[in-house]
Amino acid sequence: MSGTPEGTFEALRTQLREAAATFADGPGALEGILLGMVDDVDRAVREPLEVFPVCHHSPASAVAMARRLREKQPKVVYLELCEDMAPLLTELRNCRLPVAVQAYATEVDGFPADWAPLSVVAPITEASAEYQAIAYALDTPGVELVLVDRSSDHVFQWDARAEQPVSPDDPEAPPAEEEAALHGDAVGVEIGDLRPRFAELEEHLLRHGRVRHWSEWWHQYVELPLGDADHDTYRQVMFLIGSLFRRLAPGDPHRMRVDEDRERHMWTRMREHLAVTGTDPADCLYVCGAFHAASDVEEFGVHGAGTFEISPRSGTRWLHGLIPSSHTAIEAQFGLASGSVSIAATLWAKNLKRTRVKPYRLTGQAGTKKTTPGRTTPGTTPPPAPQAPTADQLTGFLRRPPVLDQLDEAELLGWSVDIVRAARRSGYLASTADAIAVFQTSILLAGMRDRAKPTPYDFQDAAVTCIEKDAVPGRRDVRRLVEIMMGGDRIGQVGYDALPPLARDVHDRLAPLNLKLQQRGVQRALLDIAGRPELEACSDVLWMLRYLMPQGAARPIMGERQLGERPIQESWDLALGTHQRALIELGYEGVGIEQVLEQRLRRRAYGPQATAAVVLEAVEDATLYLRSRRLADELGAHALDVLAGERSADGAPEVLRRVRRLLAHYRTSEPALPSWIESFVKTGYAHYCTLLPMAFGDEEATVRQVGAMLGFLFSMEGLALSLGCDRTQLELAVMQSHPQEPSKVALLWAAQVQLGRLSREELRARCDELLGSPLLLPAYPRYLSGFVHALEPVPALADFVVEAVSNAFGRLPDPVLLPWLPTLITTLRSGGADLAPLLIREAGRIFPGRLAALDEWVPPWREPSGVPRGGRTVRAGASRGVALPAAHPATCDAVATLLGWDGAWQPETAGPEGATLLARHPETAAALEVLLATARPLPGR
């Protein structure tokens, strides 16, 4: 290339100067743009280090790259890709394309904390020029592959994060499926982003090209003409396109500055490598996007004048790996039209058959054919002969009329039949007539768009017009069916050997399930743990995966994990192959799932927004999934500090629920309670006693939260008093509480009943007063709501709540009850749904079980004092003793004989004998009398 004469494009310059003078009425800006484009092409062509311009996922670029690599056989390949991703490229042979090379950072150092986690991906497909260069360099002895683009750290140093996601350029594209999210929120890095940044230019090209979106324009006017072009023509045309888009890119100046810094970075790295190795630039090949190939920065070229200082990387620790990708994910991330990458893959296969170019594939790549003996390998091909100076191929290409591709009726007819068959499988009422209509409409649309042969996009429009009706009967519409038929959404897979240690460990530990976990889709796993105890380890792994991975990766169908219980049988739906990216990213956080789970529990418990309930949840999860007493004790001790710092009752319900569950677990599974939970109960008792008066008066504190505080105080009272707490503190807190809201007033009454400061008769009288007052009657449902929530701290009031509700229904007339009833129902449903079962069970115990007994039934609260709750009267003179042993003395004699007691039956007395124990042991009663006589009275009593 160094021998290219200076006047190679002089004829083209003359023609463009005359055209500018003719169409622009004299020299000016147009002439400068046109001649500048030729200068860019001329400079790139004359560069001693051959620059090979490409476009991202372009079949024409991939074919030209494979052809040029076999002809030139460079010793060094410089590739526009993040320089820190080089170690991962050798693992591509263990994957099925498409996959994406990923750089991932969970903890940031030098970037804003809200950016974490950071992720950069570079997707690679077989129909891409970069894969051809990678496969050639890795499988050819003596060839070095050097990545020269900025590092993943510099991607975030130089680029501001986009605030708006990139949307596909097809406005009628269907909603993205789950395959579109394979890259997550990662920043995409691609080679050759060739798309006009000048909105008016893109609109002009689409309108005059009679196409709907940019992907279709590129397919029609660049891919097809360059598919059979020679090397010089391909390079010069791509240089020209890159220069055009570069010079007509007024867009964001920050983006343009970043592009220029990337070009300076790449040329600086290449010159450094050439200086260190002493390689001849003629033996090298620089693969980059056409936009960067036509660069005008000072550092351009081997003999560039400028010097560029590369800033140091930040302190962020980056991890690298491979994640599965798909055509849909690439289209969604880079704003391509839906189905364009699949169509490009189909065109790549056609170009290989037509041009007979042998592509490069990594040895051992999934889906590749084994090399037969006797074939010439790339490393043994004889060196090419020196090339003659490059001639001007650009002028002839621009003046040559487009070659009209003849209609392939057999191919179009096959498409029409296949789409009708696919539509019928998806629920459409398609027939042979629709296939004929699609065939003819495709030809008609191509003719209206000045095409002799319908493109896949023309066929797609025709299929939508002829087959799709008002509604889509199945899961996919016709547009999506055409995309699948043209090649489908190929989804890549990372092989076992390329997985991080954590992912391989998961597969090894789940091997006893005998499932193909690498496959996509849902698989059912049946675990008979009672019959095969070794499967319990698999159950532990599955429950941890369910906690760590997205919903659907591991979903339990039968079985649950609860504190203190051991599994017997479980059934799972597993989709680890579908969620392979999430499993791989877990490997960036640690070397084992236990380590990752422990780190996440710690981050959650020690986070800035952590509450006592959140920390207790982490304690429960550590006990449930990790069975780690050490971690549970550490997090439990931290829960004490968090609880002491809380100044509201927001988390009281959750704290009560989790402390009860943990207490029940430790009491049944361990000989003694952990010290942290004893301290937590003691601290919580004093803490909630302090907050109780304020919570009763706070308007923002709900009755459920205050009820949970009382529930903690009353249910933990026995343990708290045994640990040294004082019940007087609770009594003073209740006395200092003066609520105004009716539901909280009822809750306070219940607390007073529990403390013995209010009798049931007094409480019943207050409720009767509410029902009898017309002014207080509208607030009665809220009082009932407070009584319902009082069942949390005082469950013994369940019968009284049933009584209160029954009295309301029995005493209120219909004109008052019917408007009041909806408020009561909504109040109970919204505020006491979790306590409703207790009420229902109590009502079932009190009310008669049959409808016939309802007429004669008398409510227990209306019975006379001599009639007990059971409904039976007491016979006069009946013995109050235990009648059953006297009626069946043989049973008692047998038990006495078993216990070794030789006693005799006492004669039945007419009445009670009194306390015989006092007569037998009088010294105890005397000591108690002395103690009571000398005791000091309590203050205020």
Side-chain angles (χ1 to χ4, degrees):
M1 295 303 167
S2 58
T4 303
E6 294 290 339
T8 301
F9 298 98
E10 191 60 33
L12 181 59
R13 288 190 178 91
T14 303
Q15 295 179 15
L16 293 178
R17 190 179 295 110
E18 294 175 356
T22 301
F23 293 103
D25 295 331
L30 179 59
E31 180 182 357
I33 294 176
L34 295 178
L35 297 181
M37 291 164 52
V38 179
D39 293 339
D40 293 340
V41 176
D42 195 10
R43 180 176 61 256
V45 169
R46 288 187 288 107
E47 173 59 35
L49 195 158
E50 181 178 343
V51 181
F52 195 93
V54 299
C55 177
H56 194 51
H57 302 302
S58 168
S61 297
V63 172
M65 172 62 70
R67 184 192 297 115
R68 184 56 181 166
L69 290 174
R70 294 196 181 277
E71 294 174 354
K72 183 179 178 64
Q73 295 181 30
K75 297 180 181 178
V76 179
V77 177
Y78 298 112
L79 184 61
E80 178 193 339
L81 198 61
C82 294
E83 55 187 1
D84 56 330
M85 294 182 176
L88 266 297
L89 299 181
T90 57
E91 297 294 338
L92 289 175
R93 67 179 74 253
N94 298 319
C95 306
R96 184 175 70 242
L97 299 181
V99 296
V101 186
Q102 183 183 38
Y104 194 86
T106 55
E107 299 180 358
V108 296
D109 182 4
F111 301 105
D114 56 348
W115 285 16
L118 304 180
S119 180
V120 180
V121 297
I124 297 176
T125 63
E126 187 176 354
S128 59
E130 59 264 37
Y131 175 74
Q132 295 299 310
I134 293 171
Y136 164 79
L138 295 182
D139 283 351
T140 304
V143 177
E144 184 178 3
L145 178 65
V146 182
L147 306 186
V148 294
D149 199 2
R150 55 182 175 168
S151 66
S152 303
D153 195 88
H154 287 90
V155 170
F156 291 94
Q157 285 189 29
W158 295 356
D159 288 351
R161 304 200 89 176
E163 298 183 0
Q164 297 294 334
V166 179
S167 58
D169 53 6
D170 184 4
E172 300 178 359
E177 299 180 359
E178 61 179 9
E179 290 79 6
L182 289 179
H183 295 172
D185 297 328
V187 175
V189 177
E190 58 179 347
I191 297 180
D193 180 17
L194 274 186
R195 183 166 182 172
R197 300 183 184 177
F198 191 28
E200 288 78 3
L201 174 60
E202 181 173 349
E203 181 182 356
H204 176 82
L205 294 176
L206 297 183
R207 184 175 66 255
H208 289 273
R210 299 181 181 180
V211 294
R212 291 181 294 113
H213 42 71
W214 174 251
S215 300
E216 185 177 358
W217 185 92
W218 181 267
H219 174 272
Q220 180 66 24
Y221 295 100
V222 179
E223 284 293 336
L224 296 181
L226 290 183
D228 298 329
D230 59 86
H231 173 64
D232 293 336
T233 302
Y234 168 82
R235 290 185 67 213
Q236 294 174 22
V237 171
M238 293 294 287
F239 285 144
L240 182 68
I241 296 175
S243 177
L244 172 65
F245 293 166
R246 189 185 188 91
R247 291 183 176 273
L248 297 179
D252 185 6
H254 172 76
R255 182 178 180 182
M256 194 66 187
R257 184 173 65 254
V258 170
D259 288 332
E260 292 178 351
D261 288 344
R262 291 178 62 188
E263 295 157 5
R264 295 186 179 98
H265 184 284
M266 289 187 284
W267 280 109
T268 300
R269 290 302 192 201
M270 285 186 285
R271 286 203 297 266
E272 291 176 354
H273 182 268
L274 291 174
V276 172
T277 60
T279 307
D280 186 358
D283 295 332
C284 303
L285 187 68
Y286 171 35
V287 182
C288 67
F291 187 89
H292 301 295
S295 175
D296 56 354
V297 296
E298 295 181 358
E299 290 80 2
F300 181 86
V302 178
H303 306 292
T307 57
F308 180 69
E309 295 185 2
I310 302 174
S311 61
R313 301 182 185 180
S314 68
T316 302
R317 180 172 174 265
W318 290 88
L319 302 172
H320 297 82
L322 296 170
I323 62 173
S325 182
S326 67
H327 292 172
T328 303
I330 297 173
E331 293 160 0
Q333 187 166 29
F334 298 107
L336 304 176
S338 178
S340 59
V341 180
S342 299
I343 294 175
T346 303
L347 185 60
W348 156 256
K350 292 182 179 179
N351 288 346
L352 293 180
K353 292 181 180 180
R354 185 174 64 254
T355 60
R356 299 183 181 275
V357 173
K358 182 181 178 183
Y360 288 94
R361 291 187 177 93
L362 289 171
T363 304
Q365 186 86 50
T368 59
K369 298 180 181 179
K370 296 182 179 180
T371 305
T372 57
R375 282 189 180 178
T376 303
T377 60
T380 59
T381 305
Q387 275 195 329
T390 303
D392 178 12
Q393 304 291 339
L394 190 57
T395 303
F397 181 84
L398 295 177
R399 301 184 63 179
R400 184 169 62 244
V403 178
L404 297 179
D405 197 357
Q406 298 299 321
L407 173 63
D408 189 349
E409 294 187 359
E411 180 186 50
L412 182 58
L413 185 60
W415 288 356
S416 303
V417 174
D418 291 342
I419 188 59
V420 169
R421 183 184 299 113
R424 290 183 64 86
R425 286 198 299 265
S426 297
Y428 288 91
L429 299 178
S431 62
T432 306
D434 294 311
I436 299 174
V438 172
F439 180 86
Q440 297 295 339
T441 306
S442 301
I443 299 175
L444 178 61
L445 287 177
M448 295 172 61
R449 297 168 179 174
D450 295 335
R451 303 169 189 167
K453 178 183 179 180
T455 65
Y457 299 97
D458 297 328
F459 174 76
Q460 187 180 57
D461 293 342
V464 172
T465 303
C466 299
I467 298 178
E468 195 163 78
K469 305 302 185 291
D470 295 337
V472 178
R475 181 168 174 257
R476 300 181 177 94
D477 57 6
V478 175
R479 188 180 302 278
R480 180 63 179 150
L481 293 176
V482 174
E483 296 169 8
I484 296 175
M485 190 191 69
M486 289 294 175
D489 183 19
R490 299 182 186 177
I491 302 174
Q493 184 184 75
V494 179
Y496 175 85
D497 296 330
L499 292 173
L502 181 144
R504 292 200 299 267
D505 179 64
V506 168
H507 284 276
D508 294 340
R509 294 168 68 176
L510 295 180
L513 299 179
N514 297 323
L515 297 177
K516 297 180 180 179
L517 300 177
Q518 289 278 63
Q519 289 185 356
R520 295 183 59 83
V522 179
Q523 302 181 66
R524 179 63 57 87
L526 303 177
L527 283 72
D528 183 11
I529 301 175
R532 297 178 58 189
E534 67 273 11
L535 294 181
E536 185 175 357
C538 298
S539 174
D540 296 338
V541 174
L542 292 177
W543 282 108
M544 285 186 284
L545 290 177
R546 179 180 180 268
Y547 184 90
L548 295 171
M549 295 188 66
Q551 184 178 7
R555 184 168 63 94
I557 304 301
M558 182 185 68
E560 59 182 355
R561 177 65 59 103
Q562 292 184 351
L563 291 174
E565 294 185 0
R566 287 289 181 177
I568 299 177
Q569 287 184 340
E570 292 180 352
S571 176
W572 291 79
D573 276 352
L574 302 180
L576 297 183
T578 304
H579 296 84
Q580 192 180 50
R581 178 186 68 86
L583 182 61
I584 291 174
E585 290 184 350
L586 282 182
Y588 299 151
E589 302 182 39
V591 296
I593 53 177
E594 289 85 0
Q595 179 188 2
V596 174
L597 181 56
E598 181 174 344
Q599 291 176 355
R600 290 197 180 182
L601 292 177
R602 289 180 185 276
R603 284 199 301 266
R604 187 174 185 184
Y606 289 93
Q609 304 298 328
T611 62
V614 172
V615 181
L616 288 178
E617 182 182 4
V619 173
E620 185 176 348
D621 291 337
T623 306
L624 193 62
Y625 299 111
L626 295 177
R627 297 190 178 96
S628 174
R629 178 66 182 273
R630 170 190 55 82
L631 181 61
D633 291 347
E634 176 187 343
L635 298 180
H638 178 61
L640 292 174
D641 302 332
V642 177
L643 179 65
E646 293 183 352
R647 293 297 178 264
S648 66
D650 295 343
E654 190 70 14
V655 169
L656 174 62
R657 184 171 64 90
R658 296 195 178 278
V659 167
R660 282 177 173 175
R661 194 152 53 205
L662 289 171
L663 271 174
H665 167 67
Y666 288 128
R667 282 170 172 169
T668 56
S669 61
E670 297 188 9
L673 291 177
S675 58
W676 75 265
I677 200 168
E678 292 182 348
S679 301
F680 188 90
V681 172
K682 184 178 180 180
T683 303
Y685 188 86
H687 179 70
Y688 284 138
C689 283
T690 305
L691 293 181
L692 188 62
M694 182 178 61
F696 266 115
D698 188 4
E699 296 181 356
E700 296 183 357
T702 64
V703 63
R704 178 171 179 264
Q705 296 170 353
V706 180
M709 294 176 63
L710 288 173
F712 186 95
L713 294 171
F714 288 145
S715 61
M716 306 292 169
E717 186 177 17
L719 179 58
L721 295 180
S722 67
L723 296 174
C725 294
D726 189 359
R727 194 169 193 252
T728 307
Q729 187 177 6
L730 174 58
E731 294 178 349
L732 291 175
V734 173
M735 293 174 60
Q736 294 172 358
S737 302
H738 304 286
Q740 300 295 329
E741 208 274 329
S743 59
K744 293 182 181 179
V745 172
L747 192 61
L748 179 62
W749 292 347
Q752 293 173 347
V753 171
Q754 179 69 12
L755 293 175
R757 304 183 63 87
L758 186 68
S759 64
R760 286 208 172 195
E761 288 73 14
E762 294 174 340
L763 182 61
R764 185 176 291 109
R766 293 182 180 183
C767 292
D768 293 340
E769 182 181 355
L770 293 175
L771 286 175
S773 174
L775 296 179
L776 298 178
L777 188 60
Y780 193 73
R782 286 185 286 171
Y783 282 95
L784 287 182
S785 176
F787 285 131
V788 171
H789 284 285
L791 297 180
E792 183 75 60
V794 191
L797 283 180
D799 57 341
F800 178 80
V801 178
V802 175
E803 175 185 344
V805 176
S806 301
N807 287 335
F809 278 85
R811 294 178 54 179
L812 295 178
D814 290 346
V816 178
L817 181 62
L818 292 180
W820 175 74
L821 190 58
T823 306
L824 172 65
I825 295 176
T826 55
T827 302
L828 294 178
R829 177 177 295 179
S830 61
D834 52 342
L835 300 172
L838 182 60
L839 281 179
I840 296 173
R841 184 167 57 250
E842 184 65 21
R845 189 185 67 84
I846 294 177
F847 287 94
R850 295 182 179 181
L851 183 61
L854 185 61
D855 295 334
E856 300 178 358
W857 175 75
V858 178
W861 52 88
R862 293 185 180 178
E863 292 179 350
S865 58
V867 180
R869 287 293 178 90
R872 295 181 301 171
T873 57
V874 181
R875 294 175 300 177
S879 177
R880 293 180 177 269
V882 181
L884 190 61
H888 303 279
T891 304
C892 292
D893 293 340
V895 173
T897 303
L898 180 63
L899 296 176
W901 174 257
D902 297 331
W905 286 87
Q906 294 182 359
E908 183 179 359
T909 59
E913 296 182 354
T916 58
L917 189 63
L918 296 178
R920 294 180 181 177
H921 305 280
E923 61 274 6
T924 304
L928 180 60
E929 180 183 6
V930 174
L931 179 62
L932 294 176
T934 59
R936 297 176 59 185
L938 294 175
R941 297 292 179 92

